[in-house]
Amino acid sequence: MYPDAVQHWLDQIVDPDAIAHRSSRLLAVDISTQTLTLYLDSTAVVSYPVSTSRYGVNCTQDSNGTPHGVHEIAEKIGAGEQSGEIFIGRIAQGRKFNDRDSGDSKDVITSRIIWLRGLQSGINSGVGCDSYDRYIYIHGTANEKKIGEAASIGCVRMLNADVIELFDRIEQGDRVVLFESVASG
């Protein structure tokens, strides 16, 4: 059974095409607890620590906030790349992150990219709030020490080993719900 906060978002999807493409897998990102849980047939299979935005929850373009609501996996990028591989513009650079790179001053994307597309018009899809156009990803990070706390600039960061494992367990089109289990205030 999904947590109430996840079910709340799923119940808001009224588009028959969005419902028709549901798979048995669902990713639930709890921004309050900084965790991502993979569900299979409504049963939690595995949870991972993550890092969402240090700017909080916000769907607005240029806010650097992590968007909430129901999304789908639009694209999976990086299959077969080495752990720690750096991506720029979604292209593998042929080198791994190392200590000379600055993980604190920029958001280095590593290992895998799971690109999200919002499914809720006016919330996370459409002009001024589109998650896909904002390049909202679930991805590996060069700044693994910040996993478990809000530190990103909008994306959902994961440990490199975890994002590789997750990447291999999911498919394009799977649903992703980003939500807060505890209201922030």
Side-chain angles (χ1 to χ4, degrees):
M1 181 82 143
Y2 298 126
D4 289 343
V6 172
Q7 194 60 54
H8 165 78
W9 282 105
L10 292 173
D11 290 344
Q12 292 184 44
I13 296 293
V14 294
D15 179 2
D17 290 331
I19 292 170
H21 296 292
R22 281 190 188 169
S23 79
S24 61
R25 287 177 302 274
L26 176 101
L27 301 178
V29 178
D30 187 337
I31 296 165
S32 301
T33 63
Q34 298 292 300
T35 57
L36 180 154
T37 302
L38 171 63
Y39 288 87
L40 183 59
D41 295 321
S42 303
T43 301
V45 175
V46 63
S47 289
Y48 304 98
V50 297
S51 176
T52 61
S53 178
R54 64 182 170 257
Y55 300 103
V57 177
N58 195 324
C59 295
T60 306
Q61 186 75 31
D62 300 323
S63 68
N64 290 328
T66 297
H68 59 253
V70 182
H71 293 73
E72 70 178 355
I73 297 172
E75 297 182 44
K76 292 174 55 181
I77 300 167
E81 296 294 343
Q82 63 184 333
S83 180
E85 175 72 25
I86 295 174
F87 288 84
I88 297 175
R90 294 162 306 287
I91 298 171
Q93 298 301 296
R95 69 182 182 94
K96 290 174 66 170
F97 177 83
N98 65 51
D99 291 336
R100 291 183 305 264
D101 295 313
S102 176
D104 290 326
S105 65
K106 58 184 175 178
D107 192 18
V108 179
I109 296 170
T110 59
S111 297
R112 301 289 184 275
I113 298 171
I114 301 164
W115 197 349
L116 303 182
R117 175 179 288 118
L119 295 178
Q120 296 174 279
S121 183
I123 294 175
N124 54 34
S125 174
V127 177
C129 65
D130 200 279
S131 292
Y132 188 82
D133 289 348
R134 290 180 60 207
Y135 303 102
I136 298 297
Y137 310 140
I138 299 170
H139 65 81
T141 182
N143 201 356
E144 290 189 321
K145 68 182 182 251
K146 295 282 189 173
I147 296 298
E149 61 186 85
S152 82
I153 55 171
C155 290
V156 178
R157 296 179 185 170
M158 295 182 72
L159 296 171
N160 290 295
D162 290 351
V163 77
I164 291 168
E165 178 183 300
L166 177 67
F167 187 94
D168 292 340
R169 297 178 92 157
I170 59 170
E171 298 295 331
Q172 187 173 337
D174 287 350
R175 296 296 179 250
V176 181
V177 178
L178 294 99
F179 68 101
E180 292 180 279
S181 60
V182 178
S184 58

